[in-house]
Amino acid sequence: MSETQTQKEFKPYIPANSKVAEFTVKSVLLGAIFGIIFGAATVYLALKAGLTVSASIPIAVLAISIGRKFFKTTILENNIIQTTGSAGESIAAGVVFTLPGFLFLSAGSNSESFFSYWPIFFLAALGGILGTLMMIPLRKSLIVEEHNNLPYPEGTACASVLIAGEKGGDFAKTAYYGLGFAFAYAILQKVFHVIAETPAWATTQANKYFPSATVNGEITPEYMGVGYIIGPKIAGVLVAGGVLAWLGLIPLLATLVPAESVALQLVKLGYLKDVLSPGSSAGWDPATKTFENTATAIYLAYVRQIGAGAVAAGGFITLLKTIPTIVSSFKSSLASINKMDGKTAVKRTDDDLSFNTVILGSIALIVLMAVLPQIPGDSILNKLLIGVLVVVFGFFFVTVSSRIVGLIGTSSNPISGMTIATLMGTCLIFISIGWSGQLYEPMALVVGSMICIAAANAGATSQDLKTGYIVGATPRYQQLALFVGAIVSAVVIGATLSILDRPNAEMLSQGINHAIGTEMYPAPQGTLMATLIKGLLSFNLDWQFVLVGVFLSITMELCGVKSLSFAVGAYLPLATTLPIFAGGAIKGLVDRRSKDKHEKTEDEDLGKGNLFATGLVAGGALMGVIYAFLMAFENTAAPVSSLNIEHSLTSALGEGGFQILGFGFFVIMGVVLYRIAISKK
């Protein structure tokens, strides 16, 4: 059967000749509101854990419940709501994975000045618009002509949610239960401090057999929810990297490397002023030449660089494995553009924005990047080259991103690999024309960050267009909604990053001026991008540590393990990956029970467990953002701090008892998640 026959046979839920309310003020406004909420939550979650969760299905669920109930929205209006809102999550992910790198580039590059509201806003908005622009000519070839070959799993599931909701499906209730549970849990943990933040078991540096080993977990709702959604396999590989780092590498290095050598390495990396000054998050004491927390010191000095090498190699390996897809995608996209003549009348469900929009939009983007003072560069020529590189790399990797997510879904999209490849290509071009050194570091990061944002948004855009194709949406309206979502979400993403980056009093006392980059918000990918750029342009990378990570990823691939997940686990603190693994283990138990009882395994996107877990992620992350906003302002911090009863509980239960109490709450949350996942009603 030919592709043309398949295309003719496909009938969307709303026929092309039907006139149904779609691109309305209420649908765009509701979508923008959801985009703001999920964009802010994604910023928080990505900074904390280096992970994100797709927002399309949660927003579709909210659109069904809120839109239909209170605003009488149609299925096509609900589709516009989720299309507009989903842009916030994808753009936020691209921003957080790259732009914090401005804080970690060389001091002489003046890059820190670009980590402020307006540069973040413009880069986020322009990157998001680029991702949508480049998908306009690709929709027909990838979404329509490849309908049977590229399933776009999240997009297809989202269409199922919208259609079921139109028929009276009751999806929202379980997600709201999760949201409410997470909010209550997070209030007890962050405001009242009834639940310990990070229960831990650790050995001392003086331990003869196992020095400075650490097992801890940041027992939050969002981490459990993320773990359940990604499942036991990925969660297990993720925590395996953390086990190697915190129970293998750190105790080994703690045995072999003197504390003063670790301190010197921290000075080199900028975590410590000098070995004669106390400080750093590891608590260096120059008088006794010891650390208060040796494990953290070694993690910052050595293990993070090993992890950075592993993530870089894992991302690059993932990209190499998709080369056949890259080549075929590029050929198909060029072929589809050549076929477009713009003369044939099109029906409503085939009505895209014109190709002229892509050309004029790309030219406008290059011009804007050349004239905006918020974009790094010391001349118009510098900035024009940046703009051209962004458009060229953008078209290429948007094509790659769209086809990959069509096969394996947005969550498995190797965005980091594409960004690393872009950074390497950009740095090599810079070096070839004599642009080396610290001055050009921010310019390289701009190219990498905009490609990351564009590729992330293109992946989400592809899923949205697939949803629209199935339900019978008008592509032109979806594309306009995506532009609106990109701009609106950029407004809140910049504000959220600026507020979360404010240091608290304790940080200021240690000379730390940015909360991002600390244990509070590690921003792992941003640190990695900065490390690579500095290494390539300024030749100051500690290659011996990075190469250990590179061969760690190669070893995992040779063992048949997806190295990128393992590498991210090795890079992140075990406190992050262990609770994520707990959520994944619960999903494994649910699936095992279904298999033993010969029942149908929970549907990945529509099952009660996934909906409740989505609520946990949204509720926990949103409460984290709200709490961070409250604590960012001195006039609200004092009233919030007065509600803290941790001292009273510690006095009554002891430090160990208090941590066991917190762990008990986490277990209760896991039991609730499990019982909801296996329930039939």
Side-chain angles (χ1 to χ4, degrees):
M1 185 178 292
S2 69
E3 288 180 353
T4 306
Q5 287 175 318
T6 303
Q7 185 181 335
K8 286 179 180 178
E9 290 173 4
F10 177 77
K11 294 181 180 179
Y13 183 76
I14 301 294
N17 57 3
S18 296
K19 291 185 178 181
V20 178
E22 186 172 4
F23 192 69
T24 59
V25 172
K26 61 184 176 183
S27 64
V28 173
L29 284 177
L30 278 173
I33 291 169
F34 290 141
I36 288 170
I37 293 171
F38 279 90
T42 298
V43 168
Y44 175 81
L45 185 62
L47 283 175
K48 291 281 284 182
L51 299 167
T52 61
V53 177
S54 175
S56 294
I57 291 169
I59 293 174
V61 170
L62 292 171
I64 291 168
S65 57
I66 295 175
R68 289 193 70 210
K69 186 171 183 179
F70 298 104
F71 298 95
K72 309 301 180 187
T73 51
T74 67
I75 185 172
L76 296 188
E77 284 179 311
N78 288 337
N79 181 57
I80 290 294
I81 291 171
Q82 76 87 19
T83 297
T84 309
S86 66
E89 176 267 330
S90 59
I91 293 172
V95 167
V96 177
F97 288 166
T98 53
L99 293 187
F102 280 127
L103 298 176
F104 314 126
L105 294 174
S106 303
S109 66
N110 193 34
S111 61
E112 196 172 316
S113 62
F114 294 105
F115 194 73
S116 55
Y117 180 79
W118 286 111
I120 293 171
F121 167 77
F122 282 117
L123 290 171
L126 293 176
I129 289 170
L130 177 67
T132 302
L133 268 180
M134 296 302 174
M135 271 305 300
I136 291 172
L138 296 175
R139 188 195 71 87
K140 186 178 179 183
S141 62
L142 295 180
I143 307 298
V144 179
E145 294 178 1
E146 296 277 356
H147 177 60
N148 284 348
N149 300 323
L150 295 176
Y152 288 97
E154 289 97 341
T156 301
C158 204
S160 300
V161 170
L162 291 173
I163 293 169
E166 185 74 4
K167 294 178 177 178
D170 184 18
F171 291 99
K173 190 181 295 183
T174 305
Y176 283 127
Y177 283 157
L179 190 86
F181 190 100
F183 245 88
Y185 185 104
I187 289 171
L188 287 175
Q189 186 174 55
K190 296 180 183 299
V191 178
F192 294 101
H193 291 261
V194 173
I195 303 171
E197 293 271 358
T198 313
W201 169 85
T203 62
T204 65
Q205 175 61 15
N207 188 292
K208 183 178 179 181
Y209 302 105
F210 206 32
S212 297
T214 306
V215 177
N216 55 2
E218 197 170 340
I219 50 173
T220 62
E222 59 268 31
Y223 286 171
M224 179 173 282
V226 166
Y228 190 93
I229 291 168
I230 66 176
K233 188 172 182 180
I234 296 175
V237 174
L238 198 66
V239 79
V243 169
L244 175 67
W246 290 84
L247 297 176
L249 295 177
I250 289 176
L252 175 64
L253 292 171
T255 303
L256 299 175
V257 183
E260 197 166 4
S261 298
V262 178
L264 286 169
Q265 178 68 9
L266 291 177
V267 172
K268 178 183 177 181
L269 296 173
Y271 293 111
L272 191 62
K273 184 179 178 182
D274 55 62
V275 292
L276 299 178
S277 304
S280 91
S281 55
W284 169 248
D285 186 341
T288 61
K289 295 185 178 180
T290 59
F291 288 98
E292 183 181 336
N293 190 329
T294 304
T296 298
I298 292 174
Y299 169 70
L300 295 174
Y302 305 112
V303 173
R304 280 188 90 174
Q305 294 197 77
I306 293 171
V311 173
F316 199 68
I317 289 168
T318 305
L319 190 63
L320 287 176
K321 288 161 73 175
T322 61
I323 281 180
T325 304
I326 293 172
V327 173
S328 63
S329 298
F330 196 62
K331 287 181 178 178
S332 297
S333 62
L334 289 176
S336 68
I337 292 171
N338 292 333
K339 290 177 184 176
M340 296 178 68
D341 55 17
K343 297 177 183 177
T344 308
V346 294
K347 55 186 179 181
R348 181 184 62 80
T349 51
D350 288 332
D351 185 18
D352 291 279
L353 290 173
S354 71
F355 190 61
N356 290 334
T357 305
V358 182
I359 300 296
L360 295 175
S362 300
I363 294 170
L365 188 145
I366 293 172
V367 172
L368 276 173
M369 292 192 68
V371 300
L372 283 172
Q374 290 81 9
I375 305 298
D378 57 0
S379 70
I380 295 291
L381 181 62
N382 285 11
K383 294 184 177 184
L384 280 173
L385 177 59
I386 292 176
V388 171
L389 288 175
V390 163
V391 170
V392 172
F393 281 129
F395 178 74
F396 186 75
F397 284 117
V398 161
T399 303
V400 173
S401 178
S402 179
R403 183 169 283 271
I404 289 174
V405 301
L407 293 169
I408 61 178
T410 306
S411 300
S412 302
N413 195 5
I415 295 294
S416 59
M418 300 179 204
T419 309
I420 289 165
T422 301
L423 288 175
M424 287 181 170
T426 301
C427 289
L428 288 173
I429 291 170
F430 281 10
I431 291 169
S432 69
I433 59 176
W435 292 3
S436 61
Q438 298 178 357
L439 177 65
Y440 299 99
E441 290 176 4
M443 295 168 60
L445 183 61
V446 164
V447 178
S449 64
M450 287 194 65
I451 299 309
C452 184
I453 295 164
N457 193 39
T461 296
S462 302
Q463 303 290 356
D464 293 335
L465 292 173
K466 181 71 165 187
T467 301
Y469 181 63
I470 294 171
V471 300
T474 308
R476 172 186 295 269
Y477 291 149
Q478 281 194 283
Q479 290 152 359
L480 290 172
L482 286 160
F483 287 135
V484 172
I487 295 168
V488 170
S489 61
V491 173
V492 72
I493 289 166
T496 306
L497 271 175
S498 298
I499 291 174
L500 294 181
D501 190 43
R502 293 188 181 187
N504 57 33
E506 184 181 350
M507 292 176 187
L508 289 172
S509 68
Q510 297 176 3
I512 298 172
N513 297 317
H514 298 277
I516 294 175
T518 66
E519 288 183 350
M520 185 180 293
Y521 305 116
Q525 283 88 346
T527 310
L528 167 64
M529 303 308 167
T531 302
L532 286 172
I533 292 170
K534 287 190 293 185
L536 291 165
L537 289 181
S538 301
F539 309 103
N540 63 353
L541 193 63
D542 286 322
W543 286 104
Q544 65 272 38
F545 304 124
V546 173
L547 287 173
V548 170
V550 169
F551 285 104
L552 193 61
S553 284
I554 292 172
T555 302
M556 290 300 107
E557 287 289 339
L558 292 173
C559 292
V561 176
K562 290 185 178 179
S563 58
L564 188 56
S565 297
F566 185 89
V568 170
Y571 186 92
L572 290 171
L574 186 61
T576 298
T577 56
L578 196 56
I580 290 174
F581 173 69
I586 293 170
K587 179 65 163 67
L589 290 173
V590 171
D591 290 346
R592 180 63 180 268
R593 179 184 180 277
S594 299
K595 186 177 179 181
D596 289 345
K597 289 182 173 292
H598 304 289
E599 296 173 350
K600 187 178 179 181
T601 304
E602 180 190 24
D603 185 281
E604 287 186 6
D605 298 302
L606 306 182
K608 283 193 171 184
N610 263 69
L611 288 172
F612 187 80
T614 296
L616 291 181
V617 173
L622 285 174
M623 186 59 214
V625 171
I626 292 168
Y627 181 73
F629 270 57
L630 290 174
M631 296 302 289
F633 300 98
E634 293 181 7
N635 60 333
T636 59
V640 172
S641 299
S642 67
L643 299 173
N644 187 340
I645 61 172
E646 180 178 343
H647 179 71
S648 301
L649 287 172
T650 305
S651 299
L653 302 173
E655 183 64 35
F658 175 65
Q659 294 197 7
I660 291 170
L661 175 66
F663 180 70
F665 274 95
F666 190 68
V667 170
I668 290 171
M669 180 165 58
V671 171
V672 171
L673 173 57
Y674 176 81
R675 293 190 67 82
I676 286 176
I678 65 173
S679 65
K680 300 298 179 186
K681 294 182 180 180

